[in-house]
Amino acid sequence: MHILTVVGARPHFIKAFPVSNELPDSYEEVLVHTGQHYDDVLSQVFFDELPIPEPDYNLGVGSGGHAEQTAEMMTQLDALIEQEAPDTVLVYGDTNSTLAAALVAAKRSPQLVHVEAGLRSHNWEMPEEVNRVVTDHISDRLCAPSKLAVKILHDEGLFDGVYLTGDVMYDALLQIKERALAQSTVLDELGYADGEYILATVHRPGNTDDERRLSAIIEGLATAPLPVVFPAHPRTVEALQRHGLWERTTDSLHLIDPVGYLDFVRLLHGAERIATDSGGVQKEAFYLDVHCVTLRDETEWMETVECGWNVLVGADRDAISRELRTEVSHSEKPTLYGGGTAAKEIVDVIGDQ
Ligand code: UD1
Ligand code: UDP
């Protein structure tokens, strides 16, 4: 089996390593990085600290408009897939890198496997919603993280090649957690102890591009009863400056550069709660027993909301303020996304005759 795996953005590197490590020796994997993320803090740091090999190819596509970025990836991936002639193309998540690889693979006809299939926000303003719906409908095999994701695929008429594998990000977290707690010194560096701060991340265009929403989020976070550690994505840094919110943010929040996965897991593990608009971070909070306040109007991970570990507050200043101080008590945590064996299940899906 010859597999061509396409990654390109921060969450891909985290999702891909458990699967890469689970592949049997008889499988050959070629790892292609599109270059969608290129800053060291969004890319190289993950290759340095996670058990993932350096990419065989980096396409160096970089930033750009959706059409420009996706088209450049497709052009290069088309040539590469012709040259490598893989049996399987493996894609993760819902980014432009995911879509570009899926479109090329679907037309060149190797088996196309999509990990994290069946997620829906039902918000078509999100570029990711377009990417994930298209990718699901042109894939041969769909690895769904939850029963709800399987149901969504069925409701859209997709039955063949649908597998319930569980969430590969749970595997990643289980494999890294102890090392993160033992090795990361980020709390000492920032001067906090466990439970003495709130962690926040914001990077969705729906929040950063809209001055009103971004301002309401910053104002809501600024009312937090504890210091807010805020590792800021470059998109967010640029938006804060563009909207004239930079000083207000740096005065009221503890803004830092994005951190590597070990430091992020350590920060999340020690946080009193988390406020985020990230997809992956909502689940990581759930896995680490940290209450999550989601800065969005909807989520693809509805199960975490239904069981009370996550609350949707949108970009409503008062709701953010309230949910950052409300006492929370959780009943028992259900198993929603598998048992940390998704990578093995995914490898079985890839090789299933
Ligand atoms: C992308 C994904 C998003 C995912 C996120 C993970 C799409 C459409 N979006 O969003 O689903 O949640 O990655 O973090 O694929 N930039 C840098 N350095 C970098 C990369 C980006 O400065 O290394 C800046 C550039 O100004 C760029 C902007 O960030 O224009 C946005 O980058 P882009 O990759 O287009 O989207 P993300 O917001 O990172
Ligand atoms: N993450 C990280 N450092 C940070 C912020 C996030 O390593 O400073 C990790 C986080 O643990 C999660 C992933 O990046 O696994 C989520 O990526 P992001 O929020 O950028 O994307 P999304 O999940 O929303 O697509």
mmCIF file of all heavy atoms in Angstrom, residues 275-309:
data_model
loop_
_atom_site.group_PDB
_atom_site.id
_atom_site.type_symbol
_atom_site.label_atom_id
_atom_site.label_comp_id
_atom_site.label_asym_id
_atom_site.label_seq_id
_atom_site.Cartn_x
_atom_site.Cartn_y
_atom_site.Cartn_z
ATOM 1 N N ALA A 275 -11.733 29.654 26.781
ATOM 2 C CA ALA A 275 -12.652 30.323 25.852
ATOM 3 C C ALA A 275 -12.026 30.210 24.467
ATOM 4 O O ALA A 275 -10.864 30.584 24.288
ATOM 5 C CB ALA A 275 -12.828 31.786 26.242
ATOM 6 N N THR A 276 -12.760 29.699 23.499
ATOM 7 C CA THR A 276 -12.143 29.425 22.199
ATOM 8 C C THR A 276 -13.160 29.408 21.078
ATOM 9 O O THR A 276 -14.353 29.165 21.320
ATOM 10 C CB THR A 276 -11.403 28.055 22.244
ATOM 11 O OG1 THR A 276 -10.640 27.894 21.054
ATOM 12 C CG2 THR A 276 -12.378 26.882 22.373
ATOM 13 N N ASP A 277 -12.687 29.670 19.855
ATOM 14 C CA ASP A 277 -13.521 29.399 18.681
ATOM 15 C C ASP A 277 -12.897 28.302 17.826
ATOM 16 O O ASP A 277 -13.324 28.059 16.696
ATOM 17 C CB ASP A 277 -13.781 30.672 17.864
ATOM 18 C CG ASP A 277 -12.517 31.275 17.258
ATOM 19 O OD1 ASP A 277 -11.426 30.671 17.368
ATOM 20 O OD2 ASP A 277 -12.624 32.366 16.655
ATOM 21 N N SER A 278 -11.891 27.631 18.358
ATOM 22 C CA SER A 278 -11.234 26.528 17.654
ATOM 23 C C SER A 278 -12.124 25.293 17.657
ATOM 24 O O SER A 278 -12.869 25.047 18.610
ATOM 25 C CB SER A 278 -9.914 26.211 18.361
ATOM 26 O OG SER A 278 -9.451 24.926 18.005
ATOM 27 N N GLY A 279 -12.002 24.480 16.616
ATOM 28 C CA GLY A 279 -12.698 23.203 16.610
ATOM 29 C C GLY A 279 -12.000 22.202 17.512
ATOM 30 O O GLY A 279 -12.594 21.643 18.446
ATOM 31 N N GLY A 280 -10.697 22.001 17.259
ATOM 32 C CA GLY A 280 -9.958 20.988 17.989
ATOM 33 C C GLY A 280 -9.874 21.264 19.479
ATOM 34 O O GLY A 280 -9.953 20.339 20.300
ATOM 35 N N VAL A 281 -9.747 22.524 19.840
ATOM 36 C CA VAL A 281 -9.546 22.861 21.254
ATOM 37 C C VAL A 281 -10.798 22.541 22.082
ATOM 38 O O VAL A 281 -10.695 22.157 23.255
ATOM 39 C CB VAL A 281 -9.101 24.336 21.399
ATOM 40 C CG1 VAL A 281 -9.062 24.752 22.854
ATOM 41 C CG2 VAL A 281 -7.737 24.552 20.739
ATOM 42 N N GLN A 282 -11.974 22.649 21.482
ATOM 43 C CA GLN A 282 -13.207 22.291 22.223
ATOM 44 C C GLN A 282 -13.146 20.838 22.698
ATOM 45 O O GLN A 282 -13.542 20.512 23.814
ATOM 46 C CB GLN A 282 -14.433 22.455 21.332
ATOM 47 C CG GLN A 282 -14.784 23.883 20.993
ATOM 48 C CD GLN A 282 -15.928 23.926 19.992
ATOM 49 O OE1 GLN A 282 -17.022 23.456 20.255
ATOM 50 N NE2 GLN A 282 -15.660 24.498 18.827
ATOM 51 N N LYS A 283 -12.648 19.971 21.831
ATOM 52 C CA LYS A 283 -12.559 18.549 22.220
ATOM 53 C C LYS A 283 -11.430 18.311 23.208
ATOM 54 O O LYS A 283 -11.571 17.534 24.150
ATOM 55 C CB LYS A 283 -12.305 17.677 20.986
ATOM 56 C CG LYS A 283 -13.506 17.483 20.146
ATOM 57 C CD LYS A 283 -13.114 16.720 18.907
ATOM 58 C CE LYS A 283 -12.114 17.522 18.101
ATOM 59 N NZ LYS A 283 -11.378 16.726 17.136
ATOM 60 N N GLU A 284 -10.313 18.961 22.983
ATOM 61 C CA GLU A 284 -9.189 18.777 23.911
ATOM 62 C C GLU A 284 -9.582 19.208 25.316
ATOM 63 O O GLU A 284 -9.195 18.573 26.300
ATOM 64 C CB GLU A 284 -7.969 19.553 23.413
ATOM 65 C CG GLU A 284 -7.356 18.905 22.179
ATOM 66 C CD GLU A 284 -6.334 19.786 21.480
ATOM 67 O OE1 GLU A 284 -6.295 21.005 21.735
ATOM 68 O OE2 GLU A 284 -5.580 19.256 20.658
ATOM 69 N N ALA A 285 -10.363 20.292 25.407
ATOM 70 C CA ALA A 285 -10.850 20.730 26.719
ATOM 71 C C ALA A 285 -11.686 19.618 27.346
ATOM 72 O O ALA A 285 -11.509 19.285 28.530
ATOM 73 C CB ALA A 285 -11.676 22.005 26.563
ATOM 74 N N PHE A 286 -12.570 19.047 26.558
ATOM 75 C CA PHE A 286 -13.435 17.953 27.057
ATOM 76 C C PHE A 286 -12.580 16.780 27.534
ATOM 77 O O PHE A 286 -12.802 16.242 28.624
ATOM 78 C CB PHE A 286 -14.362 17.543 25.905
ATOM 79 C CG PHE A 286 -15.244 16.383 26.213
ATOM 80 C CD1 PHE A 286 -16.343 16.532 27.055
ATOM 81 C CD2 PHE A 286 -14.994 15.137 25.665
ATOM 82 C CE1 PHE A 286 -17.178 15.451 27.340
ATOM 83 C CE2 PHE A 286 -15.819 14.055 25.943
ATOM 84 C CZ PHE A 286 -16.908 14.215 26.782
ATOM 85 N N TYR A 287 -11.580 16.403 26.757
ATOM 86 C CA TYR A 287 -10.735 15.256 27.133
ATOM 87 C C TYR A 287 -9.948 15.535 28.414
ATOM 88 O O TYR A 287 -9.637 14.620 29.170
ATOM 89 C CB TYR A 287 -9.756 14.903 25.999
ATOM 90 C CG TYR A 287 -10.418 14.513 24.705
ATOM 91 C CD1 TYR A 287 -9.894 14.916 23.483
ATOM 92 C CD2 TYR A 287 -11.570 13.736 24.687
ATOM 93 C CE1 TYR A 287 -10.496 14.563 22.291
ATOM 94 C CE2 TYR A 287 -12.182 13.382 23.493
ATOM 95 C CZ TYR A 287 -11.638 13.797 22.302
ATOM 96 O OH TYR A 287 -12.238 13.454 21.121
ATOM 97 N N LEU A 288 -9.613 16.824 28.621
ATOM 98 C CA LEU A 288 -8.797 17.174 29.792
ATOM 99 C C LEU A 288 -9.641 17.680 30.965
ATOM 100 O O LEU A 288 -9.097 18.233 31.924
ATOM 101 C CB LEU A 288 -7.761 18.242 29.397
ATOM 102 C CG LEU A 288 -6.635 17.765 28.475
ATOM 103 C CD1 LEU A 288 -5.793 18.940 27.982
ATOM 104 C CD2 LEU A 288 -5.738 16.749 29.184
ATOM 105 N N ASP A 289 -10.960 17.510 30.866
ATOM 106 C CA ASP A 289 -11.868 17.916 31.958
ATOM 107 C C ASP A 289 -11.814 19.413 32.242
ATOM 108 O O ASP A 289 -11.885 19.841 33.401
ATOM 109 C CB ASP A 289 -11.550 17.165 33.268
ATOM 110 C CG ASP A 289 -11.693 15.661 33.118
ATOM 111 O OD1 ASP A 289 -12.330 15.223 32.143
ATOM 112 O OD2 ASP A 289 -11.169 14.935 33.980
ATOM 113 N N VAL A 290 -11.681 20.207 31.201
ATOM 114 C CA VAL A 290 -11.676 21.668 31.359
ATOM 115 C C VAL A 290 -12.968 22.211 30.743
ATOM 116 O O VAL A 290 -13.287 21.892 29.591
ATOM 117 C CB VAL A 290 -10.449 22.298 30.646
ATOM 118 C CG1 VAL A 290 -10.470 23.821 30.770
ATOM 119 C CG2 VAL A 290 -9.152 21.733 31.231
ATOM 120 N N HIS A 291 -13.675 23.010 31.492
ATOM 121 C CA HIS A 291 -14.935 23.566 30.982
ATOM 122 C C HIS A 291 -14.641 24.533 29.827
ATOM 123 O O HIS A 291 -13.740 25.371 29.917
ATOM 124 C CB HIS A 291 -15.672 24.298 32.108
ATOM 125 C CG HIS A 291 -17.028 24.763 31.705
ATOM 126 N ND1 HIS A 291 -18.071 23.905 31.460
ATOM 127 C CD2 HIS A 291 -17.514 26.016 31.480
ATOM 128 C CE1 HIS A 291 -19.141 24.592 31.120
ATOM 129 N NE2 HIS A 291 -18.830 25.887 31.118
ATOM 130 N N CYS A 292 -15.427 24.418 28.763
ATOM 131 C CA CYS A 292 -15.161 25.206 27.554
ATOM 132 C C CYS A 292 -16.274 26.213 27.298
ATOM 133 O O CYS A 292 -17.459 25.875 27.372
ATOM 134 C CB CYS A 292 -15.037 24.252 26.359
ATOM 135 S SG CYS A 292 -14.533 25.059 24.838
ATOM 136 N N VAL A 293 -15.871 27.436 26.990
ATOM 137 C CA VAL A 293 -16.796 28.498 26.599
ATOM 138 C C VAL A 293 -16.496 28.784 25.132
ATOM 139 O O VAL A 293 -15.422 29.282 24.791
ATOM 140 C CB VAL A 293 -16.559 29.761 27.473
ATOM 141 C CG1 VAL A 293 -17.448 30.905 27.016
ATOM 142 C CG2 VAL A 293 -16.772 29.436 28.950
ATOM 143 N N THR A 294 -17.428 28.416 24.266
ATOM 144 C CA THR A 294 -17.138 28.495 22.830
ATOM 145 C C THR A 294 -17.653 29.804 22.238
ATOM 146 O O THR A 294 -18.850 30.115 22.320
ATOM 147 C CB THR A 294 -17.710 27.266 22.106
ATOM 148 O OG1 THR A 294 -16.966 26.120 22.555
ATOM 149 C CG2 THR A 294 -17.557 27.386 20.599
ATOM 150 N N LEU A 295 -16.725 30.532 21.619
ATOM 151 C CA LEU A 295 -16.988 31.874 21.114
ATOM 152 C C LEU A 295 -17.558 31.798 19.706
ATOM 153 O O LEU A 295 -17.025 32.369 18.748
ATOM 154 C CB LEU A 295 -15.675 32.679 21.133
ATOM 155 C CG LEU A 295 -14.966 32.702 22.498
ATOM 156 C CD1 LEU A 295 -13.525 33.185 22.367
ATOM 157 C CD2 LEU A 295 -15.750 33.570 23.486
ATOM 158 N N ARG A 296 -18.613 31.017 19.596
ATOM 159 C CA ARG A 296 -19.279 30.834 18.295
ATOM 160 C C ARG A 296 -20.775 30.652 18.541
ATOM 161 O O ARG A 296 -21.198 30.373 19.658
ATOM 162 C CB ARG A 296 -18.723 29.582 17.588
ATOM 163 C CG ARG A 296 -17.301 29.750 17.103
ATOM 164 C CD ARG A 296 -16.795 28.474 16.452
ATOM 165 N NE ARG A 296 -17.736 27.953 15.473
ATOM 166 C CZ ARG A 296 -17.616 26.751 14.907
ATOM 167 N NH1 ARG A 296 -16.599 25.967 15.229
ATOM 168 N NH2 ARG A 296 -18.511 26.335 14.031
ATOM 169 N N ASP A 297 -21.534 30.767 17.446
ATOM 170 C CA ASP A 297 -22.983 30.602 17.574
ATOM 171 C C ASP A 297 -23.403 29.149 17.370
ATOM 172 O O ASP A 297 -24.539 28.781 17.651
ATOM 173 C CB ASP A 297 -23.698 31.498 16.547
ATOM 174 C CG ASP A 297 -23.334 32.956 16.759
ATOM 175 O OD1 ASP A 297 -23.292 33.387 17.927
ATOM 176 O OD2 ASP A 297 -23.044 33.657 15.766
ATOM 177 N N GLU A 298 -22.503 28.342 16.835
ATOM 178 C CA GLU A 298 -22.802 26.927 16.622
ATOM 179 C C GLU A 298 -21.503 26.144 16.705
ATOM 180 O O GLU A 298 -20.427 26.741 16.717
ATOM 181 C CB GLU A 298 -23.476 26.711 15.247
ATOM 182 C CG GLU A 298 -22.563 26.790 14.037
ATOM 183 C CD GLU A 298 -21.978 28.162 13.758
ATOM 184 O OE1 GLU A 298 -22.735 29.125 13.602
ATOM 185 O OE2 GLU A 298 -20.730 28.263 13.699
ATOM 186 N N THR A 299 -21.598 24.842 16.770
ATOM 187 C CA THR A 299 -20.376 24.029 16.804
ATOM 188 C C THR A 299 -20.603 22.714 16.078
ATOM 189 O O THR A 299 -21.732 22.224 16.027
ATOM 190 C CB THR A 299 -19.902 23.757 18.250
ATOM 191 O OG1 THR A 299 -18.751 22.905 18.201
ATOM 192 C CG2 THR A 299 -20.976 23.078 19.098
ATOM 193 N N GLU A 300 -19.531 22.183 15.544
ATOM 194 C CA GLU A 300 -19.584 20.846 14.929
ATOM 195 C C GLU A 300 -19.516 19.771 16.012
ATOM 196 O O GLU A 300 -19.735 18.592 15.718
ATOM 197 C CB GLU A 300 -18.386 20.613 13.992
ATOM 198 C CG GLU A 300 -18.226 21.631 12.884
ATOM 199 C CD GLU A 300 -17.581 22.911 13.386
ATOM 200 O OE1 GLU A 300 -16.748 22.864 14.319
ATOM 201 O OE2 GLU A 300 -17.932 23.983 12.855
ATOM 202 N N TRP A 301 -19.212 20.175 17.220
ATOM 203 C CA TRP A 301 -19.011 19.187 18.296
ATOM 204 C C TRP A 301 -20.129 19.336 19.321
ATOM 205 O O TRP A 301 -19.891 19.556 20.506
ATOM 206 C CB TRP A 301 -17.607 19.379 18.915
ATOM 207 C CG TRP A 301 -16.531 19.301 17.881
ATOM 208 C CD1 TRP A 301 -15.865 20.338 17.297
ATOM 209 C CD2 TRP A 301 -16.014 18.107 17.270
ATOM 210 N NE1 TRP A 301 -14.970 19.867 16.367
ATOM 211 C CE2 TRP A 301 -15.039 18.497 16.337
ATOM 212 C CE3 TRP A 301 -16.272 16.743 17.437
ATOM 213 C CZ2 TRP A 301 -14.330 17.584 15.555
ATOM 214 C CZ3 TRP A 301 -15.568 15.830 16.658
ATOM 215 C CH2 TRP A 301 -14.614 16.261 15.738
ATOM 216 N N MET A 302 -21.366 19.206 18.832
ATOM 217 C CA MET A 302 -22.567 19.450 19.646
ATOM 218 C C MET A 302 -22.660 18.534 20.865
ATOM 219 O O MET A 302 -23.254 18.904 21.888
ATOM 220 C CB MET A 302 -23.826 19.248 18.786
ATOM 221 C CG MET A 302 -24.434 20.514 18.215
ATOM 222 S SD MET A 302 -24.452 21.927 19.316
ATOM 223 C CE MET A 302 -25.842 21.505 20.380
ATOM 224 N N GLU A 303 -22.067 17.357 20.754
ATOM 225 C CA GLU A 303 -22.178 16.410 21.881
ATOM 226 C C GLU A 303 -21.573 17.001 23.147
ATOM 227 O O GLU A 303 -22.052 16.732 24.257
ATOM 228 C CB GLU A 303 -21.446 15.089 21.560
ATOM 229 C CG GLU A 303 -21.889 14.393 20.272
ATOM 230 C CD GLU A 303 -21.051 14.780 19.067
ATOM 231 O OE1 GLU A 303 -20.453 15.886 19.074
ATOM 232 O OE2 GLU A 303 -20.995 13.993 18.115
ATOM 233 N N THR A 304 -20.500 17.805 22.980
ATOM 234 C CA THR A 304 -19.844 18.379 24.171
ATOM 235 C C THR A 304 -20.748 19.421 24.834
ATOM 236 O O THR A 304 -20.677 19.629 26.045
ATOM 237 C CB THR A 304 -18.489 19.029 23.809
ATOM 238 O OG1 THR A 304 -18.714 20.066 22.846
ATOM 239 C CG2 THR A 304 -17.498 18.020 23.258
ATOM 240 N N VAL A 305 -21.584 20.081 24.032
ATOM 241 C CA VAL A 305 -22.534 21.061 24.577
ATOM 242 C C VAL A 305 -23.662 20.328 25.287
ATOM 243 O O VAL A 305 -24.057 20.683 26.412
ATOM 244 C CB VAL A 305 -23.096 21.958 23.445
ATOM 245 C CG1 VAL A 305 -24.162 22.910 23.974
ATOM 246 C CG2 VAL A 305 -21.973 22.735 22.760
ATOM 247 N N GLU A 306 -24.176 19.276 24.611
ATOM 248 C CA GLU A 306 -25.327 18.550 25.168
ATOM 249 C C GLU A 306 -25.009 17.929 26.531
ATOM 250 O O GLU A 306 -25.890 17.818 27.374
ATOM 251 C CB GLU A 306 -25.788 17.476 24.173
ATOM 252 C CG GLU A 306 -26.611 18.097 23.044
ATOM 253 C CD GLU A 306 -26.645 17.246 21.790
ATOM 254 O OE1 GLU A 306 -26.118 16.114 21.819
ATOM 255 O OE2 GLU A 306 -27.183 17.736 20.777
ATOM 256 N N CYS A 307 -23.752 17.549 26.747
ATOM 257 C CA CYS A 307 -23.445 16.930 28.043
ATOM 258 C C CYS A 307 -22.934 17.953 29.068
ATOM 259 O O CYS A 307 -22.527 17.585 30.168
ATOM 260 C CB CYS A 307 -22.460 15.772 27.877
ATOM 261 S SG CYS A 307 -20.827 16.309 27.425
ATOM 262 N N GLY A 308 -22.959 19.240 28.707
ATOM 263 C CA GLY A 308 -22.719 20.283 29.701
ATOM 264 C C GLY A 308 -21.272 20.713 29.883
ATOM 265 O O GLY A 308 -20.981 21.573 30.714
ATOM 266 N N TRP A 309 -20.347 20.144 29.092
ATOM 267 C CA TRP A 309 -18.936 20.525 29.255
ATOM 268 C C TRP A 309 -18.546 21.716 28.385
ATOM 269 O O TRP A 309 -17.422 22.209 28.445
ATOM 270 C CB TRP A 309 -18.029 19.336 28.927
ATOM 271 C CG TRP A 309 -17.971 18.369 30.052
ATOM 272 C CD1 TRP A 309 -18.851 17.372 30.310
ATOM 273 C CD2 TRP A 309 -16.991 18.324 31.094
ATOM 274 N NE1 TRP A 309 -18.493 16.705 31.451
ATOM 275 C CE2 TRP A 309 -17.348 17.271 31.945
ATOM 276 C CE3 TRP A 309 -15.849 19.074 31.393
ATOM 277 C CZ2 TRP A 309 -16.605 16.932 33.082
ATOM 278 C CZ3 TRP A 309 -15.111 18.751 32.517
ATOM 279 C CH2 TRP A 309 -15.486 17.697 33.353
#
